């Protein structure tokens, strides 16, 4: 294995490692435009120049394999001069649109210019004009003038999605990125080209002009779009309510996780964050009347206690959801299943399989099906095929329809969408107690007797287990909207009032109890899960 | 350093004599100025200086050209703001009194413009940073308007109508802006149309913008 010296530090690397990777291992950042660890090496931008002793010229770090005894300097004056010249070259035809460019603030042209460029412009001629503000597809906008022709985007569509929409056309200073004739950039991962474009040539149409990037705060989280659980950063703004009509989330960006999503995420997840700020349930309500949480707690606790004292616990049905965190599901189990002894408590709903592909997108659109199955809701991984409305099937919803179940507590599911409006309407008329606890308004919320607003993932703390058994953490980015509360908080308060002792003060404490009790989670803590997740001990074969 | 407080004398301690002394000093200046200013009117005592004052508002003080006064947004020929909504002024403003919402301009050579632009003069500290930071010379503080006082906080907030036309001051009755903007006069609803500005719909403007780029890029230089 070759051992080389970079900036005076020694490092031993696998044969075939390039200098840029070896430098990364030492924590030395070499600037780059065309190099991306997830793509093949192009070596065309030349900004990663380094000085290798005994080599006649500066070498590009991204395509120079490490050799034994190599001595590399990444910060010498020769290197800096080389990089400044490369930047001067790249900026010759650059429009300097920074004021109107969405990349401004996270642009590598700006960053590297401030670090290495800092020259006075010498270019006197007319700059090349190229297409501006051209939509390439539903998600991406191209500004060919800003492009540095690094070819990351074309390599992405060639190598990762293999859809080949993008190419570089013409030659010399007329070369520009564009679509092949008859194509549009509308593959399921198109948003990723915006992330990998090191400059503002490709910008996000959804994010376009909504905010400046320096207004954004960021919190690590997990995409709840499907059971893959891609790692994301939530970019949000809470102190400028005039932006984007008061929405808090401005965009989602994939976060690197070698085991789950690498550098990527799908468009469905990327643009599927709107529900966080739109169509939310803002108030606790009882039969259409706004009430306080206090009223809801005392009334619901009393109802549950009455069912219990009358010995009618098997007339209660609870429908948790695989959209809930492990912590919430654990509390559902502790409160309803074990605390009260309710048997009809499982995720028994049809879950229509969505689209999927062999890459990231999974057919199961719930982020925590695996977790739910592991915590004791086996129905999560065996969705109902159909319901016939007779209690013979033994399913909770059928039992409710046939009158066997008199109280129904639904977490998040839209029964109207799943079973049809007529049935839910009839159910609402016949049930004694019908509670909907969810974040967004839907048909079920219209019919339920009690509507309890829940926090969404960006307002919640907890963990999900993805389809391949990775326990991953979501962290709260901002406070729950209006009156909504995390389900865990509501369940704990209810438990206290019913007299079931569940004394947890945070999601972390719930998780520790969960890890102590469930062998699959044994030994895991939030600290061990960290930002990259940790695997559960057993793999549930039934998980889709 | 220690500051020694001077002991008050007996006459100062009994208070009333000091009051009369104060009234005496003020009155002497008042009557002296009154007499001398009156005399000046009749062309007398020209060599004796009286207290300096300007008869504001009839007789305003001359302003220095670099004085920072009420803001304005500079306007393009066709009546749209020069501002490209880069939000640099909003970012730099130490008082956080600028509110900008940006929108898509149909001309790809402009791209971005403000749909809403407010400055809250009740909060502004007149530092002029917004003028200095603007890359487009789109905001200036050269209107020479000093009297921005109003009877309510709401009136202290300038919206795009008043910023683009310094003659206007709340209450502004009629919306004169033709381009699409979040109209403060109409409760923030989106008003205006690009057709009123250019006589073409946005798609045409866009197409023509692209064509212009194409022609320029085809030219050999
Ligand atoms: S790509 Fe970077 S340097 Fe170019 S206009 Fe955008 S922000 Fe400015
Ligand atoms: S559009 Fe962006 S990613 Fe594509 S070649 Fe140009 S600079 Fe590189
Ligand atoms: S003058 Fe200063 S305080 Fe006033 S709007 Fe401009 S930047 Fe803000
Ligand atoms: S700095 Fe200038 S161009 Fe930018 S938003 Fe402010 S006024 Fe508009």
């Amino acid at each position: 294995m070759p051992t080389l010296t970079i900036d005076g530090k020694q490092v031993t690397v696998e044969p075939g490692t390039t200098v840029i990777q070896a430098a990364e291992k030492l924590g030395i950042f070499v600037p780059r435009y065309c190099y991306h660890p997830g793509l093949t090496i192009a070596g065309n931008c030349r900004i990663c120049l380094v000085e290798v002793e005994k080599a006649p010229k500066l070498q590009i770090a991204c395509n120079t394999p490490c050799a034994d005894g190599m001595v590399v300097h990444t910060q010498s004056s020769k290197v800096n001069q080389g990089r400044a010249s490369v930047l001067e070259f790249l900026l010759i035809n650059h429009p300097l649109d920074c004021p109107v460019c969405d990349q401004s603030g996270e642009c590598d042209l700006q960053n590297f210019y401030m670090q290495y460029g800092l020259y006075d412009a010498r270019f006197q001629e007319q700059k090349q004009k190229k297409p501006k503000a051209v939509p390439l597809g539903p998600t991406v906008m191209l500004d060919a003038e800003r492009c540095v022709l690094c070819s990351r985007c074309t390599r992405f569509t060639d190598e990762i999605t293999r859809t080949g929409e993008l190419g570089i056309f013409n030659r010399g200073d007329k070369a520009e990125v564009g679509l092949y004739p008859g194509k549009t950039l509308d593959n399921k991962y198109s948003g990723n080209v915006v992330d990998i474009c090191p400059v503002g040539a490709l910008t996000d149409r959804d994010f376009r002009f909504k905010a400046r990037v320096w207004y954004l705060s960021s919190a690590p989280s997990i995409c709840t779009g499907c059971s893959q659980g891609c790692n994301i950063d939530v970019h949000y703004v809470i102190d400028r309510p005039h932006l984007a009509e008061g929405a808090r989330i401005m965009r989602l960006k994939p976060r690197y996780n070698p085991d789950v999503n690498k550098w990527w995420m799908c468009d469905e997840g990327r643009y599927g964050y709107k529900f966080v700020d739109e169509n939310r349930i803002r108030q606790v309500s009882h039969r259409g009347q706004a009430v306080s949480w206090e009223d809801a707690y005392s009334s619901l606790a009393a109802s549950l206690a009455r069912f219990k004292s009358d010995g009618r616990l098997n007339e209660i049905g609870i429908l948790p959801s695989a959209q809930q965190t492990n912590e919430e599901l654990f509390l559902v189990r502790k409160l309803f299943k074990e605390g009260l002894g309710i048997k009809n408590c499982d995720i028994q709903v049809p879950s229509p399989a969505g689209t999927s592909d062999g890459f990231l997108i999974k057919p199961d659109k719930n982020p925590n099906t695996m977790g739910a199955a592991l915590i004791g809701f086996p129905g999560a991984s065996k969705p109902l095929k159909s319901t016939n409305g007779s209690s013979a099937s033994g399913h909770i919803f059928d039992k409710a329809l046939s009158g066997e179940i008199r109280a129904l507590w639904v977490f998040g599911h839209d029964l109207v969408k799943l079973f049809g409006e007529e049935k839910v309407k009839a159910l609402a008329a016949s049930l004694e107690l019908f509670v909907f606890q969810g974040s967004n308004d839907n048909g079920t919320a219209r019919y339920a007797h009690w509507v309890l607003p829940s926090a969404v993932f960006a307002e919640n703390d907890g963990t999900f287990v993805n389809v391949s058994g990775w326990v991953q953490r979501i962290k709260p980015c901002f406070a729950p909207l209006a009156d909504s509360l995390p389900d865990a908080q509501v369940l704990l308060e209810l438990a206290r009032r019913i007299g079931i002792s569940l004394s947890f003060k945070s999601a972390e404490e719930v998780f520790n109890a969960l890890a102590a009790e469930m062998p699959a989670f044994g030994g895991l803590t939030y600290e061990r899960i960290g930002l990259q997740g940790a695997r559960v001990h057993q793999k549930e074969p039934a998980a889709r | 350093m220690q500051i020694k407080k001077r002991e008050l004398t007996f006459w100062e301690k009994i208070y009333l004599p000091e009051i009369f002394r104060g009234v005496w000093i003020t009155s002497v200046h008042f009557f002296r100025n009154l007499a001398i200013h009156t005399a000046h009117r009749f062309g007398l005592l020209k060599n004796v200086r009286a207290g300096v004052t300007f008869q504001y508002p009839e007789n305003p003080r001359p302003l220095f050209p670099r004085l920072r006064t009420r803001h304005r947004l500079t306007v393009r020929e066709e009546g749209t703001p020069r501002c490209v909504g880069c939000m640099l002024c909003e970012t730099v403003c130490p008082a956080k009194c600028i509110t900008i919402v940006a929108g898509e301009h149909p001309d790809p050579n402009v791209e971005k413009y403000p749909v809403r632009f407010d400055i809250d003069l009740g909060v502004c500290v007149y530092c002029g940073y917004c003028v200095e930071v603007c890359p487009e010379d789109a905001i200036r503080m050269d209107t020479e308007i000093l009297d921005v006082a109003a009877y309510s906080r709401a009136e202290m907030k300038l919206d795009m109508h008043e910023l683009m036309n310094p003659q206007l001051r709340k209450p502004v009755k009629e919306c004169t802006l033709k381009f699409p903007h979040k109209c403060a006069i109409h409760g923030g609803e989106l008003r205006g149309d690009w057709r009123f500005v250019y006589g073409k719909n946005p798609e045409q403007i866009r197409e023509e913008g692209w064509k212009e780029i194409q022609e320029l890029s085809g030219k050999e230089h």
Side-chain angles (χ1 to χ4, degrees), chain A residues 91 94-98 101 103-105 107 109-110 146 199-201:
Chain A
L91 281 162
H94 199 80
L96 300 181
D97 276 342
C98 306
C101 179
Q103 190 82 2
S104 185
C107 172
L109 267 178
Q110 290 181 334
R146 296 179 198 153
V199 298

Side-chain angles (χ1 to χ4, degrees), chain B residues 71 89 92-98 119 123-131 139 141:
Chain B
H71 307 64
C89 52
V92 78
C93 177
K96 294 202 185 328
C97 64
I98 305 182
I119 297 182
V123 179
C124 170
V125 295
Y126 282 79
C127 62
Y129 284 5
C130 50
V131 179
I139 188 165
M141 295 175 79

Side-chain angles (χ1 to χ4, degrees), chain A residues 55-74:
Chain A
K57 293 191 288 183
L58 295 176
Q59 302 290 312
I60 49 170
C62 71
N63 207 12
T64 305
C66 296
D68 208 28
M70 223 178 195
V71 182
V72 180
H73 302 282
T74 71

